[in-house]
Amino acid sequence: LAKTTQPISMDSYEGQEVNITCSHNNIATNDYITWYQQFPSQGPRFIIQGYKTKVTNEVASLFIPADRKSSTLSLPRVSLSDTAVYYCLVVTTNTDKLIFGTGTRLQVFP
Amino acid sequence: KAGVTQTPRYLIKTRGQQVTLSCSPISGHRSVSWYQQTPGQGLQFLFEYFSETQRNKGNFPGRFSGRQFSNSRSEMNVSTLELGDSALYLCASSPGGGYEKLFFGSGTQLSVL
């Protein structure tokens, strides 16, 4: 069963690129990875989802290496409004288990 | 489109009581799933309903139960409340049967005294 770990916190400055990594050593072949952003007093909000290699959308990129034991969420040119907690989620398709990461608190400074 | 709506927003109960939380999914979404979020345990999956049937279940005791109605609205019930049940309870909806993209509500903050 996949177990996910993330750094507890990260600091950045406006305009910088931020990379948040999630480790999921026991990920199985058909499991997929999703990332969510959560602000205080709100539910998580979908950012991006991927299975392998690289996925890009209008707000982020997701890099998944060939061994799939980790994934990296990349936020280009962060702003103050990106200050939030970011969660990875591994969904195991053969058993339908949802394993959330511990969350990374990103603080963006001006 | 209106988002996922959860009621009530805040709830205070005492040990031993039971509680029912409500979730209205995005119109057209047939899957509703529930999650518990605590500072200690983080985000944990409770269960999922699709077309009025529980299709998936996390590792929680039987005191946690739910149901889904024909209009896809869902309720979650916790019986015999314990102090450790204090948490933010989130529901999420999705159009179909998978978990690829979940739309979360703002949650119900439950405090058990």
Side-chain angles (χ1 to χ4, degrees), chain A:
Chain A
L1 193 64
K3 181 180 177 182
T4 58
T5 56
Q6 301 177 232
I8 293 174
S9 64
M10 296 182 70
D11 291 339
S12 182
Y13 292 93
E14 282 191 293
Q16 289 190 329
E17 178 184 76
V18 170
N19 296 309
I20 306 174
T21 298
C22 176
S23 296
H24 27 78
N25 291 328
N26 296 325
I27 195 168
T29 304
N30 295 319
D31 298 351
Y32 56 90
I33 301 117
T34 313
W35 283 82
Y36 289 85
Q37 175 192 55
Q38 187 176 25
F39 297 110
S41 301
Q42 293 185 27
R45 185 176 70 173
F46 173 88
I47 301 174
I48 198 165
Q49 183 245 325
Y51 173 72
K52 59 182 178 180
T53 63
K54 177 183 175 182
V55 179
T56 298
N57 62 20
E58 63 276 7
V59 299
S61 295
L62 178 60
F63 299 92
I64 304 171
D67 65 7
R68 303 181 72 238
K69 293 183 183 300
S70 67
S71 59
T72 299
L73 172 71
S74 181
L75 305 172
R77 298 179 299 282
V78 294
S79 63
L80 295 176
S81 62
D82 293 317
T83 293
V85 180
Y86 293 81
Y87 291 94
C88 63
L89 166 63
V90 174
V91 179
T92 61
T93 53
N94 60 342
T95 58
D96 255 357
K97 298 300 181 189
L98 285 77
I99 312 296
F100 285 92
T102 48
T104 299
R105 186 173 301 275
L106 172 66
Q107 179 69 54
V108 180
F109 295 96

Side-chain angles (χ1 to χ4, degrees), chain B residues 7-91:
Chain B
T7 56
R9 188 73 179 89
Y10 300 94
L11 208 48
I12 299 175
K13 292 287 187 178
T14 56
R15 279 181 301 173
Q17 288 187 309
Q18 74 163 16
V19 67
T20 300
L21 312 181
S22 180
C23 174
S24 293
I26 291 172
S27 177
H29 286 193
R30 296 169 63 190
S31 169
V32 174
S33 49
W34 289 87
Y35 305 82
Q36 182 194 65
Q37 186 172 30
T38 61
Q41 298 298 317
L43 273 161
Q44 293 182 283
F45 170 75
L46 279 157
F47 34 65
E48 183 221 355
Y49 285 85
F50 183 84
S51 292
E52 302 179 63
T53 302
Q54 186 181 87
R55 194 171 57 171
N56 193 9
K57 189 176 186 300
N59 190 28
F60 278 81
R63 300 185 297 108
F64 292 82
S65 63
R67 60 177 176 168
Q68 187 180 34
F69 302 95
S70 58
N71 62 357
S72 293
R73 190 178 69 86
S74 178
E75 288 182 347
M76 189 192 96
N77 185 77
V78 188
S79 61
T80 318
L81 284 166
E82 301 175 0
L83 295 179
D85 296 333
S86 294
L88 179 66
Y89 289 90
L90 294 158
C91 84

